[in-house]
Amino acid sequence: MGHAGYAKSGKPDILCAAISALTIGTVNCLDELAGERIKVTQDERTGFLKCDFESSLQEKSTFLLDSMVFNLENLSREYGKRYLQVKYEEV
């Protein structure tokens, strides 16, 4: 079963794939296109992804992150909060 738990066991999990594409794509854009200095921690087994930024974000980086969150929220509405919940935490 995929990390999102949307697909039946043994079947590709389209929701997990969409979440991975959005998050990893955004991290890659932040690194390669925006030039942000990022420390990435991930665990492919659990689907965990954490990004620590070494400095304040540029305006274009904020836009990229806002776009990612917007799309994750849309996926949550489309597939249901049972499979994807977007939570905010102030750090």
Side-chain angles (χ1 to χ4, degrees), residues 1 4 10-11 22 25 28-29 47-49 53 62 70 72-73 75 79 87:
M1 184 179 305
K11 301 288 183 184
L22 277 171
N28 289 338
C29 286
F48 177 81
L49 175 69
F53 297 91
T62 301
F70 175 79
L72 289 171
E73 288 174 338
L75 285 173
Y79 290 93
K87 296 181 181 180

Side-chain angles (χ1 to χ4, degrees), residues 2-50:
H3 298 123
Y6 182 74
K8 295 188 187 294
S9 184
K11 301 288 183 184
D13 192 327
I14 192 167
L15 181 57
C16 183
I19 294 166
S20 294
L22 277 171
T23 55
I24 293 168
T26 300
V27 170
N28 289 338
C29 286
L30 288 165
D31 179 34
E32 295 293 326
L33 300 178
E36 294 290 350
R37 294 176 49 92
I38 309 168
K39 179 183 175 201
V40 177
T41 306
Q42 63 182 5
D43 182 343
E44 292 181 21
R45 185 179 47 80
T46 63
F48 177 81
L49 175 69
K50 177 182 177 185

Side-chain angles (χ1 to χ4, degrees), residues 51-71:
C51 297
D52 291 311
F53 297 91
E54 295 182 7
S55 61
S56 297
L57 294 178
Q58 304 170 62
E59 186 176 334
K60 61 185 168 185
S61 300
T62 301
F63 178 80
L64 286 168
L65 288 169
D66 287 344
S67 176
M68 180 190 71
V69 170
F70 175 79
N71 285 297

